[in-house]
């Protein structure tokens, strides 16, 4: 199993930047696709970004393309989400999750191997 803990959230003005971290424990961290998802008030959880086992493949929801960058450092058991040019609509609780395969966003009610507790990101106008 893998355990995930998010950090790096906070309050930032529109146009600012934050870097979220997802720290993992467990010896099979590198075997998982790691995704970032978010849930804004009154909305369903939304896929944000994913990175493959090797880090060579990434995917993003259209609304964050060009602004967010996902990366992973398997030596540190950590996945990052660099968020630039933040907008108020990015305000949400951000979660990282471990998936056993690529393409979870193609399925309804995809079950992840593990979830973190979430970190709050608030972007002011």
């Amino acid at each position: 199993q893998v355990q995930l803990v998010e950090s790096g959230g906070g309050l930032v003005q529109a146009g600012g930047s934050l870097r979220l971290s997802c720290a993992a424990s467990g010896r099979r961290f590198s075997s998982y696709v790691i995704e970032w998802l978010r849930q804004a008030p009154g909305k369903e959880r939304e896929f944000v970004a994913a990175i493959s086992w090797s880090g060579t493949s990434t995917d993003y929801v259209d609304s964050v393309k060009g602004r967010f960058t996902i990366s992973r450092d398997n030596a540190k058991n950590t996945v990052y989400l660099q968020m630039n040019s933040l907008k108020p609509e990015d305000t949400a609780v951000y979660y990282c999750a471990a998936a056993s395969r690529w393409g979870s966003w193609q399925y309804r009610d995809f079950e992840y191997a593990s979830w973190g507790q979430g970190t709050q990101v608030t972007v002011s106008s």
Side-chain angles (χ1 to χ4, degrees), residues 15-43:
S17 298
L18 286 172
R19 188 184 72 167
L20 305 184
S21 297
C22 175
S25 61
R27 61 187 294 267
R28 299 193 67 183
F29 168 73
S30 62
S31 297
Y32 291 95
V33 175
I34 302 297
E35 301 181 8
W36 286 97
L37 304 96
R38 66 188 180 186
Q39 186 169 23
K43 296 184 178 180

Side-chain angles (χ1 to χ4, degrees), residues 30-119:
S30 62
S31 297
Y32 291 95
V33 175
I34 302 297
E35 301 181 8
W36 286 97
L37 304 96
R38 66 188 180 186
Q39 186 169 23
K43 296 184 178 180
E44 297 294 321
R45 286 181 179 174
E46 175 190 32
F47 167 81
V48 177
I51 188 164
S52 65
W53 299 350
S54 65
T56 59
S57 296
T58 59
D59 203 4
Y60 303 88
V61 66
D62 286 345
S63 62
V64 309
K65 288 181 178 177
R67 300 188 298 120
F68 291 10
T69 302
I70 188 171
S71 62
R72 70 188 297 166
D73 186 341
N74 288 343
K76 296 182 178 180
N77 290 345
T78 302
V79 171
Y80 304 97
L81 185 68
Q82 179 66 45
M83 306 185 295
N84 298 326
S85 301
L86 283 162
K87 304 175 181 179
E89 53 262 43
D90 295 318
T91 296
V93 177
Y94 283 71
Y95 302 87
C96 61
S100 61
R101 63 180 63 195
W102 185 255
S104 66
W105 49 94
Q106 302 294 329
Y107 302 89
R108 291 185 295 178
D109 299 320
F110 185 87
E111 294 187 2
Y112 293 91
S114 183
W115 287 87
Q117 293 296 109
T119 186

